[in-house]
Amino acid sequence: MARTFYTSKGTSVEVGRELGKGGEGSVFDVLNRGNQVAKLYHKAPAPKKQSKLSFMASNAGAQLLEYVAWPQETLHLSRGGPVVGFLMPKVSGKDPVHMVYSPAHRRQDYPRAAWDFLLYVARNIAASFETLHAHGHIVGDVNQNSFMVGRDSKVILIDSDSFQVNARGTIHYCEVGVSHFTPPELQSLSPFDGFTRTANHDNFGLALLIFHILFGGRHPYSGVPLRNGVGDALEADIKNFRYAYARDNQSRGFSPPPRSIPVSILPDTIESMFHLAFTERGTSGDRPTAQQWLSSLDNLRSRLTKCTTSGMHLYPNHLGSCPWCALEKQGVAYFIDLGTSFSQTASGFVLAQVWAVIQTVP
Ligand SMILES: Nc1ncnc2c1ncn2[C@@H]1O[C@H](COP(=O)(O)OP(=O)(O)O)[C@@H](O)[C@H]1O
Ligand SMILES: [Mg+2]
């Protein structure tokens, strides 16, 4: 593979070590540009993908770059030749969001992160959607690998070249999608090419990510099946609105998994937002927006209380007793108190206490 490429301005850049490989391309370090990486496609991009990347690179504003590894310059094998890749900001010291919401990984890698940290991550993810939507763009392929989370709770999206991009009225489509993040109304749609997605479609994926983060990685359409045909395939359960935590979940065919975080941990306003996002009404454009999630989650953050049993047990103050203690009585420990002496001796964990960055939206 060639190691020298040219930006659209004609500057030469040398690529170094491969940092990651995806379905469409690989990402490399760039020599002498420590804060940038190069994504190079496995196959020459079609002309319409080239125009999408050129538009993105010439519209890399500061607000987008706060949340997104957005293309900054296109890359070419020869000066003025076709686009073969692009430069974008390097994302380092961050993990995909599933490493944060999976209880096992969180306990291992973020042992001091309690539910308040998870709320920060959720609201910062909502802020990232809010910024993109305000610019007329849609994530499209929402999934657990594209949202990179730092120890300070800051969120950066990668894989931005797959977004649906609005180039001053010309839509560049998002041609991919992960089925377990796809809204019910799009479950039968494949391929996605030529289909214009809306913010309401994204708002399904946003609600799903927030649900995963707040409920220990659980999928809202997964639970204990109450009749035949339910729980056989996640795609069919999503398509048929089998939201396991719904108030009317018995008629939908699921009850929540045993010993899981109960939906009653949330105040009614937020529980209703999930209901709207995951049931029939949401398909007609009514799903809570990123802006609504942002303000509701910020409101919830200001209503947390701490249990006297453990400094790691933070929960909303509408509850009369600690839900984490209740789960521990059932044998499930979500947040383990490591004690203060641990943070004094293990310097790596002290870092984890500087989290909680509020990312601003335009
Ligand atoms: N901006 C970035 N900084 C550092 N590593 C990145 C960046 N973008 C992507 N990567 C790495 O490269 C991998 C593939 O990138 P991605 O854009 O998801 O590829 P694809 O679209 O081909 O599937 C990612 O999983 C990640 O490990
Ligand atoms: Mg991609």
Side-chain angles (χ1 to χ4, degrees):
M1 189 196 74
R3 304 203 68 81
T4 305
F5 296 84
Y6 299 90
T7 68
S8 47
K9 292 176 195 129
T11 314
S12 70
V13 295
E14 296 268 319
V15 303
R17 188 169 62 100
E18 186 178 84
L19 298 174
K21 188 172 185 166
E24 258 196 311
S26 288
V27 171
F28 299 86
D29 262 329
V30 180
L31 273 48
N32 303 321
R33 292 193 187 214
N35 54 7
Q36 281 188 314
V37 291
K39 179 165 179 175
L40 298 169
Y41 291 97
H42 304 313
K43 260 180 35 200
K48 60 180 183 175
K49 178 88 175 193
Q50 293 185 45
S51 358
K52 177 182 189 177
L53 294 167
S54 298
F55 172 83
M56 290 178 85
S58 40
N59 290 276
Q63 283 172 347
L64 286 170
L65 287 166
E66 197 188 333
Y67 291 100
V68 184
W70 189 268
Q72 294 170 299
E73 288 184 80
T74 51
L75 289 175
H76 311 255
L77 276 170
S78 56
R79 290 190 171 94
V83 179
V84 295
F86 60 88
L87 294 176
M88 63 179 147
K90 180 173 185 168
V91 177
S92 55
K94 290 187 163 37
D95 291 313
V97 64
H98 64 87
M99 300 289 280
V100 177
Y101 65 61
S102 139
H105 284 129
R106 179 174 42 72
R107 278 198 299 269
Q108 173 81 30
D109 296 338
Y110 300 75
R112 297 202 162 271
W115 206 63
D116 58 334
F117 175 74
L118 297 177
L119 272 178
Y120 270 112
V121 173
R123 68 84 65 201
N124 284 339
I125 284 184
S128 72
F129 276 85
E130 160 66 5
T131 298
L132 265 178
H133 291 174
H135 284 78
H137 311 312
I138 306 290
V139 179
D141 179 19
V142 177
N143 69 75
Q144 72 284 5
N145 289 316
S146 298
F147 293 79
M148 305 296 286
V149 181
R151 286 181 180 275
D152 54 2
S153 81
K154 250 190 118 168
V155 171
I156 299 279
L157 270 93
I158 57 169
D159 202 16
S160 63
D161 52 315
S162 76
F163 292 174
Q164 175 176 294
V165 170
N166 184 341
R168 294 190 194 91
T170 301
I171 301 296
H172 294 284
Y173 301 110
C174 169
E175 297 170 6
V176 279
V178 171
S179 65
H180 58 263
F181 273 92
T182 299
E185 67 274 23
L186 302 189
Q187 280 290 335
S188 309
L189 183 79
S190 185
F192 290 102
D193 193 15
F195 180 78
T196 304
R197 303 196 211 203
T198 63
N200 193 54
H201 296 136
D202 255 13
N203 291 339
F204 178 82
L206 168 60
L208 204 54
L209 278 176
I210 298 172
F211 193 92
H212 281 320
I213 294 167
L214 300 186
F215 290 91
R218 292 283 183 187
H219 198 289
Y221 296 85
S222 178
V224 179
L226 301 175
R227 56 172 190 259
N228 283 344
V230 172
D232 297 341
L234 197 46
E235 290 80 357
D237 293 330
I238 296 174
K239 191 174 172 181
N240 291 293
F241 306 98
R242 294 177 188 143
Y243 173 36
Y245 300 72
R247 285 161 241 157
D248 53 354
N249 59 359
Q250 300 289 310
S251 62
R252 295 178 184 275
F254 270 131
S255 56
R259 303 189 304 161
S260 57
I261 303 171
V263 76
S264 59
I265 193 174
L266 298 172
D268 285 352
T269 45
I270 299 196
E271 188 263 339
S272 312
M273 288 170 75
F274 278 123
H275 190 89
L276 192 50
F278 297 143
T279 59
E280 293 79 352
R281 251 185 67 205
T283 60
S284 52
D286 285 341
R287 291 192 180 109
T289 62
Q291 176 57 52
Q292 287 167 336
W293 279 114
L294 194 57
S295 63
S296 299
L297 292 170
D298 276 344
N299 185 282
L300 183 55
R301 284 191 315 99
S302 69
R303 291 163 184 268
L304 294 184
T305 188
K306 203 179 263 185
C307 155
T308 49
T309 311
S310 164
M312 288 290 285
H313 286 189
L314 283 112
Y315 60 94
N317 63 12
H318 72 282
L319 296 173
S321 59
C322 174
W324 310 119
C325 284
L327 282 161
E328 281 181 16
K329 285 201 189 95
Q330 298 173 49
V332 191
Y334 274 97
F335 302 104
I336 298 166
D337 199 341
L338 296 168
T340 45
S341 57
F342 195 77
S343 68
Q344 281 154 9
T345 50
S347 57
F349 294 119
V350 175
L351 226 201
Q353 293 181 326
V354 301
W355 57 57
V357 169
I358 299 253
Q359 286 172 283
T360 48
V361 290

